[in-house]
Amino acid sequence: MSESSMVGSFAVADYVVFALMLLVSAAVGVYFAWTDRRQRSSGDFLTGGRRLTALPVSMSLSASFMSAITVLANPAEVYRYGASIGFYAVSYVFTMLITSEVFLPVFYKLSITSTYEYLELRFNRATRLLGTMLFIVQTILYTGIVIYAPALALNQVTGMDLWGAVISTGVVCTFYCTMGGLKAVVWTDVIQLGVMLAGFLTVIIRSVVLQGGVISIISDSQHGGRLNLSDFDPNPLRRHTFWTISIGGTFIWLSVYGINQAQVQRYISCKSITHARLSLYINLLGLWSILLSSVFAGMCLFSVYKMCDPWTTGLISAPDQLMPYLVMDILGDYPGLPGLFVAAAYSGSLSTVSSSINALAAVTVEDIIRPYTNFSEKHLSWISKGMSFFYGILCIGMAGVASLMGGILQATISIFGIIGGPLLGLFTLGILCPLANSKGALSGLVSGLVLSLWVGIGAQIYPPPPDMSRPLPLSTDACNFTTVHGLNWTSSALPNQNSTTVAPAHNDGKPVLADLYSLSYLYFSPLGTIVAIGVGLIVSILTGGCKLKVESRLMLKKEDTTFYYFIKMFKGGRKSRSGHLDLKKDREMTFGNANPAFSDFELNLAKSGIS
């Protein structure tokens, strides 16, 4: 491998593959704009007319928050810290179970377009507006980073034009969101999920061939300490263990799947609650596939560079560039395949950005415009398209701002996660706690937000010591390009210097709450959720919440859960096996109350005058 193979080797075929992915995405928007040209309501545009089925929605759910940052950062995480992020598979299961049984039934039966409509129905308008504004701010910040960060990494390694990629991604995304609405977003997500997996598989297959088989890659990872899947240390200060990822990951993903507008808007657009639940569980397969692919790609990365780390030697300037560097190194001789990987990375960006644009348009129309105006549905439909266009342009602008932020990028991504915890606590209060009132809800949300931000910002100023994050060793023993100019200003100690210079500062100026700041970043979300619920309940009780009467449709009822019906079926099966049969009771238990649309009385044709 040589430095010359690193930059400027993106061939015409690679640009063609990348352009084809953008073209197909735009074509989907045109198709749905044409087929749904007679749609007259904003609901049709923002929720697909609530006629979508489980399979495309499930694939869209999987793609939505698997951004290019996932495609580039997950393998780099495995390369540096090991495969412990595979424990996210456990948190995904808990997330889907809780979302399906707690949040989905309430949102679906209310037939709302914006999740934040629920907050006004349950609490008051102030709570709704605060929740909406927090969502808008965090989503715009995050979306700008999602567009810019991968473009920067890919530009520095492949030589692909930075702003050409950023603007083309943003423009295409804005185009199909504005033209086709949610249907276009869902179906492009399906295509983009396929492209993401194809990009991963291309890298994995070529790496397996080069390294002599899957067993060889697993063996290299084992000897290099990358298969650290037996770390059950309960210490909450440790960056990644089974417990931090399983528990903290569940809270983080619950704040995405349970209450985030981009995800909720998808599954409530299904044509029935059964399809909505199915979409969540089928989505699990997509999440597991992407997680497994990214973890194994990280193992391939380590196997190829186990004796000559390109980051330590200065061939790349950041860990996020490891995957693009590997792609150009092992696939550079196959025109079109580097383009496929870049298309995979940008598919992650497109799916996330399109979800965000559609969700931002939905909350703006439903929470800010509709309650204060008397526009017709047709006008609101056009306003929804206008808002999609506006937020698309704004997100491209935020990518420009992100380019000036430098080291604040990681902090902003952390803050995005921090805001989700208190919001999750707010919705949990409303759905599960009947005595929670508006005073408690607002107090809990603000308290959780303040504490989460305080700890999150403190963690940026006083990073945890290296023994809590435990980066794994990287080697340069077999490197053979010592004569290449430009390596003199780096050294093999470069990755460790940052850690060792931080540690003394951390110890010398150690604040009283240093241990709290050293908390694993995955616990920031649970911290915000628990504080929001705790403070919310205490304030509600002190301000008369015990006397509050809440509409049953705004709370989770046992009849809303599938577990309730499984228990009923189990009890019914036991009773029938006992030999005692009561037809009336058995019918009531098995089928529930009679549908009010029908009558149990026999129809007397003579009396009714029907011949």
Side-chain angles (χ1 to χ4, degrees):
M1 71 195 74
S2 66
E3 194 176 22
S4 61
S5 68
M6 179 177 61
V7 177
S9 55
F10 218 51
V12 173
D14 300 315
Y15 282 106
V16 169
V17 172
F18 177 66
L20 188 62
M21 184 269 294
L22 293 178
L23 187 63
V24 169
S25 298
V28 172
V30 173
Y31 172 77
F32 282 107
W34 175 256
T35 56
D36 293 340
R37 61 191 181 279
R38 292 187 178 87
Q39 65 183 8
R40 297 185 178 279
S41 73
S42 59
D44 285 341
F45 181 79
L46 297 171
T47 63
R50 301 186 195 271
R51 294 188 299 272
L52 299 176
T53 54
L55 188 59
V57 170
S58 67
M59 296 177 76
S60 178
L61 285 169
S62 298
S64 293
F65 277 82
M66 292 297 167
S67 67
I69 292 173
T70 307
V71 175
L72 301 179
N74 273 14
E77 172 72 27
V78 174
Y79 181 82
R80 294 182 63 206
Y81 295 99
S84 57
I85 61 168
F87 291 135
Y88 273 116
V90 177
S91 67
Y92 293 157
V93 176
F94 288 125
T95 298
M96 298 315 143
L97 282 171
I98 297 169
T99 300
S100 171
E101 297 302 306
V102 177
F103 296 101
L104 167 61
V106 175
F107 292 143
Y108 194 90
K109 68 186 177 185
L110 289 174
S111 295
I112 54 180
T113 299
S114 164
T115 354
Y116 302 97
E117 288 178 62
Y118 172 81
L119 295 179
E120 182 173 354
L121 293 171
R122 178 65 178 84
F123 300 117
N124 58 18
R125 181 160 290 184
T127 311
R128 175 182 182 175
L129 286 175
L130 180 56
T132 301
M133 296 313 297
L134 283 174
F135 170 78
I136 289 174
V137 169
Q138 71 168 3
T139 305
I140 291 173
L141 279 173
Y142 181 68
T143 306
I145 294 166
V146 163
I147 294 175
Y148 177 74
L152 180 63
L154 290 162
N155 159 260
Q156 291 177 344
V157 178
T158 66
M160 188 175 187
D161 185 68
L162 174 62
W163 288 105
V166 167
I167 293 171
S168 61
T169 303
V171 167
V172 168
C173 212
T174 303
F175 175 77
Y176 72 73
C177 286
T178 304
M179 295 291 287
L182 184 70
K183 283 185 182 177
V185 172
V186 166
W187 282 104
T188 48
D189 281 354
V190 172
I191 296 166
Q192 288 152 12
L193 180 64
V195 174
M196 286 168 71
L197 290 172
F200 270 132
L201 287 174
T202 304
V203 177
I204 288 169
I205 292 169
R206 181 61 183 153
S207 299
V208 167
V209 171
L210 283 176
Q211 298 305 107
V214 173
I215 301 300
S216 175
I217 289 172
I218 294 174
S219 176
D220 288 341
S221 300
Q222 176 69 44
H223 290 124
R226 265 61 187 175
L227 295 184
N228 49 355
L229 297 174
S230 58
D231 191 345
F232 294 92
D233 185 353
N235 185 351
L237 305 184
R238 285 282 310 282
R239 181 175 179 269
H240 280 173
T241 66
F242 172 82
W243 302 110
T244 55
I245 294 174
S246 298
I247 297 171
T250 298
F251 276 84
I252 288 170
W253 283 103
L254 262 180
S255 69
V256 172
Y257 277 85
I259 64 165
N260 188 286
Q261 175 66 28
Q263 299 297 72
V264 175
Q265 192 172 336
R266 277 162 173 64
Y267 56 69
I268 64 174
S269 67
C270 288
K271 62 183 183 180
S272 71
I273 195 167
T274 304
H275 274 268
R277 280 199 167 106
L278 269 176
S279 72
L280 284 169
Y281 291 124
I282 298 172
N283 149 72
L284 256 182
L285 300 177
L287 292 179
W288 283 339
S289 299
I290 295 171
L291 181 64
L292 178 63
S293 298
S294 63
V295 168
F296 195 75
M299 292 164 63
C300 292
L301 193 58
F302 177 74
S303 181
V304 173
Y305 297 124
K306 60 184 180 291
M307 299 304 291
C308 184
D309 170 42
W311 181 38
T312 304
T313 54
L315 289 175
I316 57 173
S317 58
D320 285 348
Q321 297 169 16
L322 281 163
M323 273 303 280
Y325 184 85
L326 174 69
V327 168
M328 299 309 296
D329 190 10
I330 67 174
L331 295 173
D333 295 333
Y334 300 88
L337 292 186
L340 179 61
F341 179 79
V342 170
Y346 278 102
S347 288
S349 283
L350 284 171
S351 61
T352 304
V353 174
S354 61
S355 303
S356 299
I357 290 172
N358 199 249
L360 286 166
V363 298
T364 304
V365 169
E366 296 298 325
D367 298 329
I368 298 174
I369 296 174
R370 188 191 290 270
Y372 304 101
T373 61
N374 293 314
F375 291 125
S376 67
E377 282 297 325
K378 189 173 183 180
H379 283 127
L380 284 172
S381 177
W382 282 104
I383 291 170
S384 300
K385 293 182 179 183
M387 293 312 302
S388 292
F389 179 78
F390 168 74
Y391 280 120
I393 300 302
L394 189 59
C395 288
I396 296 172
M398 273 309 302
V401 174
S403 70
L404 305 174
M405 293 168 74
I408 306 175
L409 283 175
Q410 187 60 46
T412 311
I413 294 172
S414 299
I415 289 171
F416 173 82
I418 288 166
I419 292 173
L423 281 173
L424 176 62
L426 176 65
F427 279 94
T428 305
L429 267 176
I431 290 171
L432 296 181
C433 306
L435 52 79
N437 59 21
S438 57
K439 293 185 180 69
L442 280 170
S443 304
L445 177 60
V446 172
S447 302
L449 190 62
V450 168
L451 184 63
S452 294
L453 283 170
W454 176 31
V455 174
I457 293 169
Q460 296 295 324
I461 299 170
Y462 302 100
D467 60 316
M468 290 295 110
S469 56
R470 300 188 184 180
L472 297 169
L474 302 169
S475 172
T476 56
D477 292 346
C479 294
N480 58 2
F481 43 77
T482 52
T483 58
V484 178
H485 89 90
L487 292 178
N488 294 330
W489 51 269
T490 63
S491 72
S492 60
L494 178 64
N496 296 323
Q497 279 179 346
N498 292 334
S499 300
T500 52
T501 52
V502 167
H506 179 77
N507 293 327
D508 294 342
K510 189 174 182 179
V512 178
L513 296 174
D515 282 346
L516 183 61
Y517 295 148
S518 297
L519 191 70
S520 170
Y521 73 98
L522 289 169
Y523 281 140
F524 293 166
S525 183
L527 183 69
T529 303
I530 292 166
V531 168
I533 293 172
V535 172
L537 284 175
I538 292 168
V539 173
S540 295
I541 291 169
L542 294 176
T543 55
C546 296
K547 299 175 183 178
L548 190 67
K549 301 292 182 185
V550 182
E551 290 182 67
S552 61
R553 69 193 181 103
L554 301 177
M555 303 289 299
L556 179 69
K557 296 183 291 186
K558 62 182 181 182
E559 294 84 0
D560 293 332
T561 64
T562 50
F563 290 123
Y564 173 74
Y565 289 100
F566 281 134
I567 292 168
K568 281 183 71 176
M569 286 170 61
F570 177 71
K571 287 182 177 178
R574 288 185 60 184
K575 185 169 285 188
S576 63
R577 285 196 298 273
S578 68
H580 300 289
L581 186 63
D582 184 328
L583 291 176
K584 184 177 178 182
K585 283 186 179 178
D586 274 8
R587 192 183 73 156
E588 287 174 355
M589 183 172 59
T590 306
F591 300 107
N593 295 326
N595 189 319
F598 297 93
S599 173
D600 284 338
F601 294 105
E602 204 173 297
L603 182 62
N604 189 324
L605 295 178
K607 284 187 179 179
S608 63
I610 301 174
S611 55

